Amino acid sequence: MAAYRPVAVPACPKLGEKITQDTLYWRGYKTPVQIKEFGAVNKIDFSPVPPYNYAVTASSRIHIYGRYSQEPIKTFSRFRDAAYCATYRDDGRLLAAGSEDGSVRLFDVSGKAPLRQFDGHNKPVHVVGFLSDKYRIFSGGDDYSSSLWDIPSATEIVSYSEHTDYVRCGCASKVNADVFITGSYDHTVKLFDARTKGSVMTIEHGHPVESVLLFPSGGLLVSAGGRYVKVWDVLKGGQLLVSLKNHHKTVTCLCLNSSGQRLLSGSLDRHVKIYSTTSYKVVHSFNYATSILSLALSPEDETLVVGMTNGVLNVKHRKPEERNEKFQKKRQPAYRTYVKGRTYMPKQEDFCVSKPVKRVLRKYDKLLKSFESSKALDAVLEPPIMLHTPEVTVAVMQELHRRGTLRSALAGRDEKQVNLLLTFVARRVIEPRFTPVLVTVADMITDIYQPVVGQSAIVDKQFLKLQEAIGKEIDYQEELLEVLGMMDTLFATFTKKRDIHLEENKSNGLTETIETNRN
């Protein structure tokens, strides 16, 4: 008796994710470390100098973390209420932060008490930053104003009140020590020059602005607000270059990598999108557990830190390249270990013993082996198989049809089983890989259960869905045939014109040859 052959399930090609250099690079981060803060993380800022510690602003505290530490190595807690936007100076020695009471505090990283306190805002200050000359600080608050402060004298240099809503983000130019930018909930981004009494440029973003970012060259500005990330050319008077809409909810933070070739954006939709700054297309994305409020990338792209609304700090580290090289240089077994005995040819007096291979049959294969067609069909109509591996269900139906037992397997079913069967057929019959088999199955079901149509509202509804699905597919096919006919006509016209053109060229060439010979 011949051995039973299991049902051959055809392997259908799957559209896999396109693996690019960016995919491999951004997947190079290790499993993230989760750190719980006291409140929502509103700002993360890396020190520009080694060892690249980072400041995390959450609730009424500012925590300084080392690159690999899971506990803060320093804490600034001299705030009565919430603290905002702790930012390092370019030399990494000073730290400035805003507060709920409207004051701006300046800290020495090696100390604890504030070195300076700047009072001038009468509402919370959410934006603080250093100008590139290192001796001035700019700030923006909920009182709609933006101020410039002198660090040595602790006095206010100038105050601007041009925004008409909360000022919630800002950045300073690294090229010009007098230029800084603020973004507001009044949908505008304003560029200020400390040498003037007002803004020198206003850009209309169109949504409440949550974050702004200047490229290192100072020529391009990125603004984020609503679902949009927009790139502007500052040198052309604020001309819009590109508008990106890849997030589903409000974009809250922006960041550039060390080379400036990749732009990162975080959003309340729990995703971090990474764009190429040449094509502005998404090259990779990260998914997180909850909404994202802040993100930062270390100066060497070695650490990616993301702050979320639930107070969780997500820290990802990249594995150093030296370790990868050492791991790759791990000693492998000798070559002779692998080929030992493989080239041996058995001699005539040798007795060869083959290792028996035990074949494990699946449930539907066991039932088919024992000729239980109806039960085999029931086995592949279970929801996990129908939803995740429909090709198995169709393969068993095809095998039953080949055996000539498909009609008997489909017959004699109750209302619930017929409903399940029709649901599967109506959903999958339009898929080209399943259509040939499921059309036969639908034809048999219609023949078998036609006498009982009208006795069950559930079964009647499924028959109507099947009819609707097949009707729509026929309409699509007719439209495609019409389009195909139009394309054939166009191709035929192009071919005809090309043939006429070639004939004219040939005739012209022949005439020229005859005239030359006569001469």
Side-chain angles (χ1 to χ4, degrees):
M1 183 178 176
Y4 172 76
R5 291 184 180 180
V7 175
V9 179
C12 300
K14 294 181 179 179
L15 295 175
E17 181 183 2
K18 187 177 180 181
I19 303 298
T20 62
Q21 290 297 325
D22 279 288
T23 307
L24 298 174
Y25 178 82
W26 294 104
R27 281 183 178 176
Y29 288 93
K30 296 188 290 186
T31 305
V33 176
Q34 305 278 356
I35 302 173
K36 180 63 179 174
E37 285 289 338
F38 292 96
V41 181
N42 62 73
K43 177 70 175 179
I44 303 167
D45 192 53
F46 272 92
S47 172
V49 297
Y52 303 123
N53 297 334
Y54 56 95
V56 177
T57 311
S59 185
S60 60
R61 302 184 183 187
I62 301 171
H63 287 155
I64 308 295
Y65 289 90
R67 182 184 289 188
Y68 298 104
S69 64
Q70 297 186 26
E71 295 292 335
I73 58 177
K74 194 173 189 62
T75 300
F76 297 102
S77 56
R78 301 292 181 92
F79 295 91
R80 297 176 184 176
D81 210 328
Y84 301 109
C85 197
T87 308
Y88 277 101
R89 196 169 71 172
D90 286 344
D91 57 5
R93 294 182 178 180
L94 297 181
L95 192 72
S99 63
E100 185 73 22
D101 59 11
S103 63
V104 178
R105 291 178 171 85
L106 182 69
F107 296 92
D108 186 345
V109 174
S110 58
K112 283 190 175 182
L115 294 178
R116 295 279 190 277
Q117 180 168 323
F118 307 95
D119 296 313
H121 293 280
N122 52 34
K123 286 190 178 181
V125 177
H126 285 264
V127 185
V128 177
F130 290 90
L131 295 187
S132 56
D133 62 2
K134 302 179 184 179
Y135 298 108
R136 288 177 292 178
I137 292 175
F138 71 91
S139 62
D142 287 356
D143 56 0
Y144 311 165
S145 68
S146 306
S147 300
L148 197 62
W149 310 89
D150 181 60
I151 294 176
S153 62
T155 57
E156 184 180 69
I157 300 172
V158 63
S159 179
Y160 305 97
S161 300
E162 297 191 16
H163 285 293
T164 57
D165 208 333
Y166 299 155
V167 180
R168 287 297 175 91
C169 56
C171 62
S173 172
K174 296 185 182 297
V175 179
N176 192 324
D178 293 307
V179 173
F180 67 96
I181 294 170
T182 58
S184 169
Y185 279 7
D186 63 4
H187 301 191
T188 63
V189 177
K190 292 186 179 291
L191 188 146
F192 294 95
D193 190 322
R195 296 165 293 189
T196 63
K197 296 183 179 180
S199 63
V200 294
M201 186 184 297
T202 300
I203 296 172
E204 183 68 34
H205 179 81
H207 295 82
V209 183
E210 299 284 351
S211 182
V212 291
L213 178 70
L214 261 178
F215 275 68
S217 63
L220 296 179
L221 169 69
V222 187
S223 62
R227 296 169 55 191
Y228 294 88
V229 175
K230 297 185 179 182
V231 183
W232 313 84
D233 191 336
V234 178
L235 302 180
K236 290 186 177 180
Q239 179 183 344
L240 178 64
L241 296 181
V242 64
S243 179
L244 308 171
K245 189 181 177 183
N246 297 98
H247 288 282
H248 301 295
K249 292 184 179 180
T250 301
V251 182
T252 55
C253 47
L254 297 169
C255 174
L256 275 174
N257 73 335
S258 56
S259 65
Q261 296 179 351
R262 295 294 180 265
L263 173 67
L264 286 75
S265 65
S267 167
L268 296 179
D269 64 3
R270 305 182 294 109
H271 286 85
V272 171
K273 303 284 184 182
I274 303 168
Y275 308 87
S276 167
T277 54
T278 53
S279 63
Y280 291 105
K281 292 183 178 179
V282 177
V283 296
H284 195 68
S285 64
F286 291 108
N287 188 17
Y288 289 86
T290 53
S291 299
I292 297 167
L293 284 182
S294 54
L295 70 90
L297 198 59
S298 64
E300 295 180 349
D301 298 345
E302 193 274 337
T303 307
L304 175 64
V305 185
V306 173
M308 292 173 271
T309 54
N310 61 354
V312 172
L313 203 63
N314 186 291
V315 185
K316 291 183 179 181
H317 296 287
R318 177 175 291 282
K319 211 169 189 179
E321 293 182 2
E322 294 83 12
R323 296 184 185 179
N324 287 333
E325 292 175 1
K326 289 180 182 179
F327 181 76
Q328 291 172 0
K329 292 180 181 178
K330 186 178 179 181
R331 186 176 179 274
Q332 300 292 332
Y335 177 71
R336 62 176 179 271
T337 305
Y338 294 107
V339 299
K340 185 177 181 181
R342 291 197 176 185
T343 57
Y344 178 78
M345 296 296 293
K347 299 177 182 178
Q348 190 173 2
E349 62 271 13
D350 289 342
F351 179 76
C352 298
V353 179
S354 59
K355 185 178 178 181
V357 179
K358 187 178 180 181
R359 182 177 292 174
V360 179
L361 296 178
R362 297 186 179 274
K363 183 179 179 181
Y364 56 85
D365 274 321
K366 292 178 181 178
L367 294 168
L368 287 173
K369 185 179 179 181
S370 57
F371 302 101
E372 298 183 56
S373 305
S374 185
K375 290 183 178 180
L377 185 59
D378 291 338
V380 293
L381 286 175
E382 293 178 358
I385 297 177
M386 284 199 307
L387 293 174
H388 303 297
T389 54
E391 59 273 10
V392 174
T393 306
V394 177
V396 171
M397 288 178 175
Q398 188 174 11
E399 175 65 17
L400 292 173
H401 182 55
R402 187 188 67 82
R403 293 185 179 191
T405 57
L406 180 58
R407 181 176 288 272
S408 61
L410 293 171
R413 296 181 172 271
D414 58 18
E415 181 185 37
K416 185 177 179 181
Q417 292 174 330
V418 174
N419 179 39
L420 191 65
L421 195 59
L422 285 171
T423 302
F424 175 78
V425 174
R427 181 181 297 175
R428 301 291 181 178
V429 72
I430 58 175
E431 295 187 29
R433 53 178 178 164
F434 301 145
T435 300
V437 178
L438 292 184
V439 165
T440 304
V441 174
D443 192 20
M444 288 187 180
I445 293 174
T446 306
D447 288 342
I448 295 169
Y449 295 100
Q450 187 178 5
V452 298
V453 171
Q455 298 180 12
S456 170
I458 297 175
V459 174
D460 292 348
K461 186 178 179 181
Q462 293 301 329
F463 270 118
L464 290 173
K465 284 185 178 180
L466 177 60
Q467 182 185 11
E468 184 182 357
I470 294 174
K472 284 184 178 180
E473 185 63 22
I474 292 172
D475 292 339
Y476 292 150
Q477 295 292 339
E478 288 177 353
E479 290 178 8
L480 288 173
L481 287 173
E482 290 178 5
V483 174
L484 187 60
M486 296 175 190
M487 294 175 67
D488 287 340
T489 306
L490 290 173
F491 292 148
T493 306
F494 293 152
T495 307
K496 187 176 180 181
K497 286 182 179 179
R498 183 182 178 188
D499 292 341
I500 293 171
H501 184 65
L502 290 173
E503 287 177 4
E504 288 177 355
N505 289 341
K506 287 180 181 178
S507 62
N508 292 336
L510 182 60
T511 305
E512 290 175 2
T513 304
I514 291 170
E515 289 177 356
T516 305
N517 291 336
R518 285 178 181 175
N519 293 333

